[in-house]
Amino acid sequence: MRLSLSNISSCEDCSELATHKRAVFLIIDALRFDFVTPNPPEPASPYHHNVLTLPRTLTEQRPRHSFIFNAYADPPTATLQRIKGLTTGSLPTFIDIGNNLGASSISEDSILVQLRNAGKKAAFMGDDTWMSVFPDTFEHNMTFPYDSFNVEDLHTVDEGVITHLFPLLKDKSNPFDFLIGHFLGVDHVGHRVGPDHPSMKAKLEQMNRVLQEVIDNLDDDTLLVVLGDHGMDRSGDHGGDGVLETSTAITGPSLELPSNTAGYNKSTSSLHYPCFLDSPFLSTTSALSFPNSFGVTTKGKSLEKALQLNVDQIYQYLQAYRSSPSGGELDEAWRSIQESWSIPSLTTSTEMKLIALNNSNKVALSACRAMWAQFNPVLMAMGLVLLGMGLCATWALFVGISNAKSAWGPWLKTHLASCLYAGAGGAAAGLVAFLASLILPSILGGQNIVDYTMFGAVLASSVTMIISSPPLTSLPSISSIPIILILHSIAFLSNSFTFWEDRIVPFLAVSSLIPYAIKGFSAPTSRLRYRIVGFSLLYAACVRLISISTICREEQQPYCHVTFYASSSQTSPPYVAVLLALPTALALSLVIRRFLKISRSDRGVAKTHYPLIFTPAIVSGALYWILEWADTTSAFGAGWDTTLRFARTWLARLGYSWVLLMGGALWFIVPLCIDITVKHEGGQKQVQVIGYANAFGSPYLVFWTILLAVVYSTSQLPGQLVLGFATIALLAYLEVVDSVRDVETMELAFKRAKPSDILLNSSSASDPTVAGKPKSYDDEAAFKFGDVVPVALLGLHAFYGTGHQSTISSIQWKAAFMLSSTVAYPWSALTVVVNSIGPIFLFAMAAPLVGLWNRAPEATVASNSRSQSGDDKDQQQELELDTQVKGDSILASLATMIYYTALLLGASVSAAILRRHLMVWKVFAPRFMAGVLGLLVVDLGVLIGEVVGVERVTKGVKDVFGKMSGPRPVDKGPR
């Protein structure tokens, strides 16, 4: 991360009269170089190639006064970071990307600070991001900002710039010295419909006309520079470091180039900006000091002199940086910087001196890129230690709860208390270490008090859990770790795996089902065999159908074909997704109810929730995106924009409100999916409960589908189809787990020579009034870590299938405008977040279902536990109705957290080891950031699932069935 210096450049008598008195700086946001080049790639697009032709026409007609450069925009290619780079002459960093939705003012030196110090008047019109970073710089009567985040509005910002630009250009009193006009239409068209669309051609034609009119109104004393701040990828998005995202155009239609540039191919050459604004042309035409990276101003028109002064400016900036607290970052490269800076003074040939000066800038550029992509090895090591120890501690918690069996509640309470005390002690030790670092800064310095205390607290609590519950004590405990998890985690060391993770995840998901399929072939009954094999095939089929939806990384070309969008250069959905959207939304509720009907748990709240709340909510979500498609493609013709915008905004608002408020309230008040009837026959009262066999799982599914409706509605049409298949895959897998659990329970009963318990437990599961001996906690198959792996992988698969990748450019900004036509905080940010990481959150919340599905609230006795009297061991204490299912749901949640923690650890280790890899910022760092977000979302999902969903469901079950069979001592039968 780069340190912002507070130094302000100043000089006296170091500049001659400028060649121009005023400057007009026009930014066409996302102006990719191939939009203006005279030699576009083949095949040329009729929508964005050979459309904006004025720059090349001027270059051909006036080669001494115009140029076109292919400028490299250092990533991240987001507008805020590009503005910082353009005005300060510094490199942006990926750490800044999070500030793009909420910019803060720039505190370091910039060209606008120099303008103000020189008494110059600056005018501005366009993207209001400039107002956030330079709030008090522009003249109030010449400042016209417009909302920059309303990507659905293709014209308001540009029309505003045009409205205010030309009056200032035509004003004979010359009211401004420096004017910035920031057009956003090209960028918004790219986000809205992609570059291959008639709207892009119309927008570029408009820019062509505007530039022509600007040139017609310029006098000889006004300099004009036109450039893009970044490019856009094939689908119109940006933010990363893809070739098309970093390729942008810069052109100077009114410059008189130095004579030394004769023979230089100005229309195809590359220019890197801004690491210190490599081109000296602007500095030769103004009488201003440049920002802190330009400590000396330039004089005259000589290219040699301009380059020499540019090199000196950069060198002076680096000297100031080396004197700062972060100056040690330059130590490794300082010798090469000094040598490259001194070489031009030893050269006498003009041509060789130009080469040496240019090389000096390149050496500085390379050093700064390496420096500001610098990693703190101490903090990295601390982070990796905490991740590794946290993973081991969570595994120890999983093993401890599993081994505690029916006593998992008291065990958990005791061990968590110990970890809390240890964490407090570790925080105190961290505080002591921080105080020691003040005394011995050379040994312990460099970290702040928060780093030390957090490290000590987390490390101490993790070590305490590991020691009190050793996670790996035997060969079986080691072999219980799924090989899929190990392979998935270590594979991040391969950049090829990271490129193609979206294609490998479905293979891992289907492979994780193989042990269950094998178990199905050996099941003792034909019904169980058919269920296990059939539902396994259904899961695999849905995973394969999800794989059809793809969005391609740049590195996957040319072996990847985009199917999530209509094409790689459009952001509208394929026509087949539009046709299937409504049928899928209507059918999904019926499919869910069909699964519930297997256990006859489609009663109670389910009868109201699915047809009257869930279905309308997801249908409104489908209709929203259908109307958005109609608006984007002008399917209804011109003049419908306002009507379609109004209709879809209210569809989204009503859909979200309906499912969250009405659905949430109904579920919370009446959570269970059962019907209870009381009959009096022969003077006896008979109670019949329908839905008893799935009393825990079905109400939690209702809770889960409330959140499913939210994520479903936020996803674009192909993503909705993917979530539909993912939901079916989840339900199919739950049936597989239930059937395999039945098989293992039968095997366990036969092994213990108690086959009669199978019939007894089967009868009591279907009817809670059947009298019988409560089963032992050990009579049912134990929960295994591998049981949750297919669900965890399904979440990742749904993430990729809904049009996402571990890249910034895959963020679907359209979701920000679901609830309003403009950016509205916090709703716009929330809908983007839900669209992006909602699938992972959704299937993390589904993890408890693995422990709840098809589990009846049966009376259960603790194994090897004595009655409260403790007089003999012939009695056992009956447990709460929810003891076993709550224990298994917690294990499922922990297993999901472990899986994603292991993935994050693998991504972190790969980023640390390969931090000097050529593709660290392109591949490993983005996957690491995606891993961090994924784990945070998983933790949030399982926390909401356990605290809200499981607790409410189990309370409802105990309130109803606890009255039917209270706790009682039971004679222990023969074993």
Side-chain angles (χ1 to χ4, degrees), residues 900-921:
Y900 279 86
T901 303
L903 296 188
L904 176 57
L905 180 62
S908 303
V909 170
S910 67
I913 295 175
L914 303 172
R915 62 186 181 276
R916 294 304 174 200
H917 192 280
L918 181 65
M919 292 187 173
V920 63
W921 289 114

Side-chain angles (χ1 to χ4, degrees), residues 586-630:
L586 292 170
L588 184 57
S589 175
L590 298 177
V591 173
I592 294 174
R593 295 179 70 185
R594 181 63 186 87
F595 273 94
L596 291 174
K597 195 172 183 179
I598 296 174
S599 58
R600 302 180 69 187
S601 54
D602 56 337
R603 310 299 176 94
V605 71
K607 290 191 296 185
T608 303
H609 171 77
Y610 291 108
L612 300 181
I613 293 178
F614 178 71
T615 300
I618 62 174
V619 166
S620 69
L623 287 173
Y624 172 90
W625 289 105
I626 291 173
L627 294 181
E628 194 277 338
W629 164 83

